[in-house]
Amino acid sequence: VRVMESGGGSVQAGGSLRLSCAAEGFTFSGYEVTWHRRAPGKQREEVARFRSIGESTNYADSVKGRFTISRDNTKTTVYLQMNSLKPEDTAVYYCRAYYYGDSDGGLVENDYWGQGIQVTVAS
């Protein structure tokens, strides 16, 4: 059971990339899925959040209006569409899937992090 990121790479400023977070061995049904990033010399930052309940989304101010988080209908992949990229978006991006709730009569807490994927935006 794990999550795997893909879709990173290098792009010129103003360009776009789409990151994918794939669930392996489970589905994202009921999970809260978030994208985080860590830039060199900076602390990790949460940039986008997708909640299964209501399929609501939230974004960091730094990416609002440029990034879009979404989930596919099979609930096995969450995407981060990144447009109008800036050099300051350069970072390692991580996907996290978190669940806390009922499962087979008991409470469970699942917390899965991907290994991260590099995004580099050249000026």
Side-chain angles (χ1 to χ4, degrees), residues 48-62:
R49 177 180 294 258
F50 182 96
R51 290 186 177 88
S52 287
I53 298 175
E55 297 191 357
S56 62
T57 58
N58 294 95
Y59 300 93
D61 288 342
S62 57

Side-chain angles (χ1 to χ4, degrees), residues 73-113:
N73 291 334
T74 68
K75 301 180 182 178
T76 58
T77 305
V78 168
Y79 302 100
L80 185 68
Q81 178 67 44
M82 305 186 295
N83 298 329
S84 303
L85 283 162
K86 306 175 181 179
E88 50 263 42
D89 294 318
T90 294
V92 177
Y93 284 72
Y94 300 87
C95 174
R96 179 195 188 195
Y98 179 81
Y99 175 84
Y100 180 78
D102 291 330
S103 178
D104 295 329
L107 284 174
V108 296
E109 182 178 27
N110 296 328
D111 192 357
Y112 306 121
W113 286 85

